[in-house]
Amino acid sequence: MTPAITVEGVTVRYGDVVALRDVSLELSPGRVTGLIGMNGSGKSTLLKTVLGLIRPDSGAAQVLGVAPAVARRKGLIASVPQSEDVDWAFPVSVRDVVLMGRYGRLGPTRRPRAADHAAVDEALARVDLTDLADRQIGRLSGGQRKRAFVARGIAQDAAVLLLDEPFAGVDKTSEATIVRLLRELAADGRTVLVSTHDLAALPSLADDAVVLLQRIVFRGAVAEALLPENLARAFGLDAPLEGGAR
């Protein structure tokens, strides 16, 4: 079986700052993996490398056996970005945001068909946002915004979903909804990689955990990742962080 995500020997630098150093990782379909580490450990950089938004200084990433840019073009991969990476004032509705997940399927006319509208309606229903579909995206709460971007990935029918801190600033109802949805997507055979500081949610969310501190310092069962000695490594209490990373 082709791995859903393959990262081989990836090193990323921002000038003199080392963000990732010789990171190798392979994720199988149908699992949720939690990516944990302190601010500056390289979590966002790793996600952006898998998305093809950052070109590594060395090494390479693949998604389902193809380059990230190809995977994006084919709609194989979707992402839920951090809140600060989105212009919430942009005049688009929740429905518009979710419909963006269908753009790769619209054909040269870029006109949504009945199947596209049906996929959007179904995705909105799954994240409990049907009643807010016509509201401007910036007028939603933090949790509702995250759910809208999860809906975009569902409508896209992407095989791989990356989420960068989806629980930051999110109410408990939205957090529970997102956890349930991600578990359902994994059960359907999707691959989910989630960067999170919410360690309390990790046991119910993830099948596996990766501890990152510029390099992978632990990978394995969630229960083991949450042991005090591994959390110490996750948050740099027993190893110096070179420079700073994002």
Side-chain angles (χ1 to χ4, degrees):
M1 182 181 295
T2 301
I5 296 174
T6 304
V7 178
E8 293 185 350
V10 163
T11 294
V12 176
R13 294 182 178 88
Y14 301 111
D16 294 332
V17 175
V18 178
L20 297 173
R21 183 181 295 280
D22 194 25
V23 170
S24 295
L25 180 65
E26 191 173 283
L27 301 183
S28 301
R31 299 184 72 79
V32 179
T33 300
L35 182 62
I36 61 176
M38 66 180 186
N39 289 335
S41 62
K43 301 188 302 299
S44 293
T45 296
L46 178 58
L47 295 181
K48 289 176 181 177
T49 300
V50 174
L51 279 167
L53 303 179
I54 290 176
R55 179 176 294 180
D57 293 272
S58 61
Q62 287 193 326
V63 177
L64 293 168
V66 300
V70 175
R72 285 207 321 274
R73 243 184 352 259
K74 292 184 174 182
L76 301 176
I77 188 168
S79 67
V80 177
Q82 290 195 36
S83 294
E84 55 264 34
D85 292 336
V86 179
D87 179 4
W88 300 111
F90 198 74
V92 292
S93 68
V94 175
R95 185 182 300 278
D96 292 333
V97 170
V98 179
L99 183 59
M100 291 174 188
R102 302 294 297 179
Y103 281 2
R105 301 171 180 269
L106 295 184
T109 66
R110 290 293 187 253
R111 282 186 151 183
R113 296 158 295 186
D116 301 307
H117 290 299
V120 169
D121 289 341
E122 180 182 354
L124 287 167
R126 289 186 70 176
V127 300
D128 298 326
L129 288 179
T130 299
D131 292 343
L132 300 176
D134 296 320
R135 183 171 294 187
Q136 193 269 337
I137 186 68
R139 294 178 58 207
L140 299 186
S141 70
Q144 290 166 342
R145 292 173 181 180
K146 295 290 187 180
R147 283 153 52 191
F149 276 88
V150 172
R152 183 182 69 173
I154 293 172
Q156 183 177 322
D157 197 25
V160 176
L161 183 61
L162 308 184
L163 300 95
D164 198 353
E165 298 294 347
F167 305 126
V170 167
D171 59 272
K172 289 299 180 183
T173 299
S174 289
E175 179 178 309
T177 299
I178 293 170
V179 168
R180 172 180 57 79
L181 286 167
L182 298 182
R183 294 304 322 170
E184 290 175 357
L185 293 172
D188 290 341
R190 318 288 177 86
T191 300
V192 181
L193 179 59
V194 187
S195 164
T196 182
H197 281 106
D198 191 345
L199 301 183
L202 207 58
S204 61
L205 169 67
D207 301 297
D208 311 289
V210 172
V211 177
L212 189 67
L213 189 62
Q214 296 177 333
R215 57 173 61 85
I216 293 175
V217 297
F218 175 85
R219 184 189 174 194
V222 171
E224 290 185 56
L226 296 178
L227 292 174
E229 58 267 31
N230 286 323
L231 289 181
R233 299 170 75 189
F235 293 94
L237 299 181
D238 67 347
L241 186 66
E242 299 179 29
R246 289 179 284 173

